[in-house]
Amino acid sequence: MEELAKAAGIPVRTLRFYRERRLLPPPRRDGRIAWYSEAHLARLRTIAGLLERGHTLGGIAELIGAWENGRTLGGVAELLGLEGALTAPWSEETPVRLTPEELADYFGEDVTPENLTTALDIGYIGVDGENVIHISRRLLDASAALVHEGVPLAAVLAAGRGVRAHTDALADLFTQVIRTHVIGPMDDLPPAEAHRIAESLQRLRPLAKNIVDAEMGLAMERRVRAEIDAWLRQQAERAEGGAACGTDGGAEADVDGSTDGGAEAGVGGSTDGGAEAGVGGSTDGGTKIGTDPAEPTAGA
């Protein structure tokens, strides 16, 4: 409640008064935790706007009651209907209540004070007595799957913090586009225009999610392809280096080559202290097997 009052710029006692007058819908409760949403914040801002226009709290309560019962009073029902369209959930996440034992079943020894503090700071979990409330079944299952694959929970949380920052930036981008090209100025909005905007937002909600999903898939394909290409280049470079190293320090088999203290299989080569198997070769201190017709022999 304190966080909601701070976001709305009103004292906590005022927020309690609004709740008592039923100007606010009740929060969603999970045990002893009361979950307020963007819809509650939008309602508080609507109330502030109506007060600035000169409406009394009694009149505002009547207008809200008329809207909730489907009656229209001076276009205010359309305004509150637009409020509902603006603050309708964009996600379908289901919170999960976990005992300490269940949390350990998910993450084992990675359930450390440091990791719990990080998860609280990111907003993944809340504490209700001895239990933990995770904000999303899908995020919980994905995190556990990564840990079971060998990724430390600390690394999963660090990646989650980065993903949160990038998705917040994406949400800002979509919000600016919608505010500029769909909603437009909100001052003195005619009832018919409020109805049009509400319907447009209903149509745009799945489109934004589809765009992010498609772009994420394409981005992963690009990154994986780049990683594979880099690995293949590295393997090719290693293979080339190994082949070059294999030709150094070996025997020479070229024509007219020579070896010292070894055997020569080339034509016209010479060996020192070894054997010659070629035509016209010579040996020093060894045995000559071949003959050269142009060379006189002893005793001829």
Side-chain angles (χ1 to χ4, degrees):
M1 181 179 290
E2 289 79 7
E3 293 179 359
L4 178 62
K6 182 178 180 181
I10 61 174
V12 174
R13 64 177 181 275
T14 301
L15 179 57
R16 289 198 179 99
F17 177 73
Y18 288 169
R19 284 186 54 189
E20 292 170 0
R21 297 290 298 271
R22 298 188 177 181
L23 297 174
L24 280 179
R28 180 174 59 82
R29 290 196 171 274
D30 192 341
R32 291 181 293 178
I33 296 181
W35 295 88
Y36 290 94
S37 66
E38 289 294 326
H40 292 91
L41 181 58
R43 174 63 62 82
L44 290 173
R45 289 171 176 166
T46 300
I47 292 172
L50 292 172
L51 288 172
E52 290 179 359
R53 295 183 183 184
H55 293 272
T56 65
L57 286 176
I60 294 173
E62 182 180 355
L63 293 172
I64 291 175
W67 172 70
E68 291 176 344
N69 291 318
R71 293 183 289 117
T72 301
L73 296 177
V76 175
E78 285 80 2
L79 177 61
L80 294 173
L82 176 59
E83 168 208 316
L86 289 170
T87 60
W90 286 67
S91 68
E92 300 174 356
E93 304 311 311
T94 303
V96 184
R97 174 181 290 273
L98 299 168
T99 65
E101 293 77 15
E102 290 171 333
L103 191 63
D105 289 340
Y106 272 97
F107 301 109
E109 296 179 355
D110 278 349
V111 181
T112 63
E114 294 79 10
N115 286 336
L116 289 174
T117 300
T118 301
L120 281 166
D121 183 53
I122 296 174
Y124 282 162
I125 62 173
V127 178
D128 182 16
E130 296 182 354
N131 295 331
V132 168
I133 309 295
H134 198 288
I135 63 170
S136 167
R137 164 68 68 182
R138 292 196 297 173
L139 290 176
L140 173 64
D141 291 343
S143 299
L146 288 170
V147 170
H148 292 163
E149 290 293 334
V151 182
L153 181 56
V156 173
L157 292 172
R161 191 188 293 275
V163 169
R164 176 69 62 83
H166 288 297
T167 51
D168 281 346
L170 285 172
D172 286 342
L173 178 61
F174 279 114
T175 301
Q176 291 173 13
V177 170
I178 293 171
R179 183 172 59 242
T180 302
H181 300 287
V182 178
I183 297 177
M186 297 290 288
D187 298 335
D188 298 324
L189 195 66
E193 187 66 8
H195 183 71
R196 180 194 67 80
I197 291 173
E199 289 185 340
S200 295
L201 290 176
Q202 292 291 340
R203 293 191 297 269
L204 289 171
R205 184 173 285 107
L207 294 180
K209 298 171 72 172
N210 290 342
I211 290 171
V212 173
D213 182 63
E215 287 289 358
M216 181 63 184
L218 293 170
M220 287 300 299
E221 288 178 3
R222 291 192 297 269
R223 290 301 306 159
V224 170
R225 184 73 259 173
E227 290 292 329
I228 292 175
D229 290 345
W231 181 80
L232 290 174
R233 285 195 300 270
Q234 186 181 49
Q235 296 303 310
E237 290 171 358
R238 287 180 178 177
E240 291 174 0
C245 291
T247 61
D248 295 337
E252 180 65 49
D254 292 341
V255 175
D256 202 25
S258 63
T259 61
D260 295 331
E264 173 60 36
V267 178
S270 64
T271 61
D272 296 331
E276 173 60 35
V279 177
S282 64
T283 61
D284 296 330
T287 304
K288 178 157 184 176
I289 298 175
T291 60
D292 189 342
E295 180 182 357
T297 61

